[in-house]
Amino acid sequence: MRYEPIKKHGIADMKVKPNLLDYERARREMSWESMAKELEWFDDGHINIAYEAIDRHIKTPVRDRVALIWEGKDGKTERYTFHDLYRLTNRFANVLKRLGIEKGERVFTYMDRIPEIYIAILGTLKAGAVTGPLFSAFGSDAVRDRLADSGARVLVTTPRLVKTVDAVVDSLPALERIIIVNREGVPYELKHREVSYEALMEEASDEFEIVKTDKEDFAIMHYTSGTTGKPKGAAHVHEAIVGHYATAKYVLDLHPEDIYWCTADPGWVTGTSYGIFGPWSNGITQVVYEGGFSASHWYRVIEKHGVTVWYTAPTAIRMLMKAGEKVAQKYNLKTLRYMCSVGEPLNPEAVLWGQKVFGIPFHDNWWQTETGCIQIANYPVQDIKPGSMGRPFIGVTATILDEDLATELPPNREGHLALKVRWPSMFRTYWNKKDLYESRFKGEWYITGDRAKRDEDGYFWFVGRADDVINTAGHLVGPFEVESALIEHPAVAEAGVIGIPDPIANEVIKAFVSLKDGYEPSEELKMDIKRFAREKLHAVACPREIEFLPGLPKTRSGKIMRRLLKARELGLPEGDTSTLEE
Ligand code: PRX
């Protein structure tokens, strides 16, 4: 069912005049080259993301504006101006220099949302090294796979999280140094290859000559899941900042007086593109809340800090809906003027719920780790069709290709969502997997792996993934990664993993498991397998449900037929089963 569009009635009754006033005209006039000129390039044509996010403002009044309002889990608040971050990131860059880190080397972070993660990421970029933020809920295998693949030389972590690394550190020969951030000052004895963040920062200078990176130099990598193999590192370059800057300005509509809150963790691309680079390159104050989800805590954050622009995700919105309007009514949320959502399909009810409870709808937008910045979006000045991801960003050409990826389809036909190459923040490779990277392109198109439709007004509608990747609570989970972890459990012979629909989390993970001889199905065994997966991978990749089967359906070549498992689970037609093993 299609819902009535939410009409926008011009800018007259908008609290703030949007940065994007005329979509059609901006599309015609937009060029990435001219957008790039709004940033400050070095005289020799080089660019550095951290320079654009922080240093550029030091010569302007933005210098003394609060860049980061950080609220800890316990409610403690710290404020950092752009100038504070300038000094601290310089110090961290000096720390890396002292440790002998050179341009292009990988420096990863594995921390909760504490101020030091922002300092480390930006300091790494200043030093010309490549940053790789790891989500703090990752288990040991997830951490090992990413550090091993990237060949990271330095990891920045905390006394609590380093325990996970200890379990795998012997299989990481490239990892020379572990910097321990101990902001709470817990008793901790540094081990071999560990150094103290606080001690090194104390000794480091506030001055650093930023490394003038080329626009094509690698800057950041985020690991993302595919259907086959372990997660792959989508690598982005310094030029990406042009995309972060432009979309934060025109899609998130950030203005100098805004207090902006992105709820995503920097362990995922939304938390860096829009939790660091986009807002700060626009000189905007942002709030970071260290705590996890809770409706009342979240509303209190908005009230306490006077959040005006809010970027969040559908699962969180649905959880807020479940908590009910009454919770929202206890708080003063009147400062909110604009709200956006990303990461998974935003159901029309959620868009409208925003309108009802906050007086403004949620604006859905679409992008991927690989695209680096928002590609399809709803804008302040355009009508919203609830359930649609919106229209391509002004510098982006999107289309729907047929099954052969050869022909563009007319409106209202379902096919493969593709984007015309290229835009500044597009990934430049999958780390160590050039062939896989190249396989994502067909002619002038980047093939997103999503299925979608475009309507007669140019609005795009998400249909589903073209592959087996599961989207649970906005996190992509590759079934292969989960299956690989499960079969390491002593009782598991085979595992097949699928996503099943869920009203809150979009999809949840279900694992079908066959047991080795000598093991009997039981509830205890299910719990044990879940615990095992949680420790190895992370909470989001841990199966919600496990079902024991005597054997799994496989093709004659031995590949587990996830499609069939899914069809059987959901009572759908089984389709072509001619390759099924007898
Ligand atoms: O399938 C799409 C879904 O999330 C995928 C990208 O996930 P990831 O690489 O983790 O990027 C996170 C940063 C956005 C997409 O291929 N997705 C993302 N946004 C939407 C969406 N599905 C439907 N609607 C969206 N707005």
Side-chain angles (χ1 to χ4, degrees), residues 223-225 268-271 274 311 314 341-346 364-371 374 376 387-389 417 440 446 448-451 462-467 469 471 474-476 506:
Y223 279 79
T224 181
S225 296
W268 310 103
V269 73
T270 310
Y274 298 106
Y311 195 19
S341 165
V342 73
E344 17 157 356
L346 184 66
D364 187 18
N365 54 65
W366 177 98
W367 59 291
Q368 302 180 308
T369 305
E370 287 85 344
T371 70
I374 296 168
I376 298 177
S388 162
M389 309 188 286
L417 176 62
R440 297 294 301 264
Y446 162 68
T448 66
D450 281 358
R451 295 182 67 79
F462 181 79
V463 174
R465 298 274 311 183
D467 57 20
V469 173
N471 188 329
H475 299 303
L476 295 191
N506 184 44

Side-chain angles (χ1 to χ4, degrees), residues 1 59 71 217 337 446:
M1 165 186 167
K59 294 174 275 174
E71 182 170 332
D217 281 336
R337 69 164 186 87
Y446 162 68

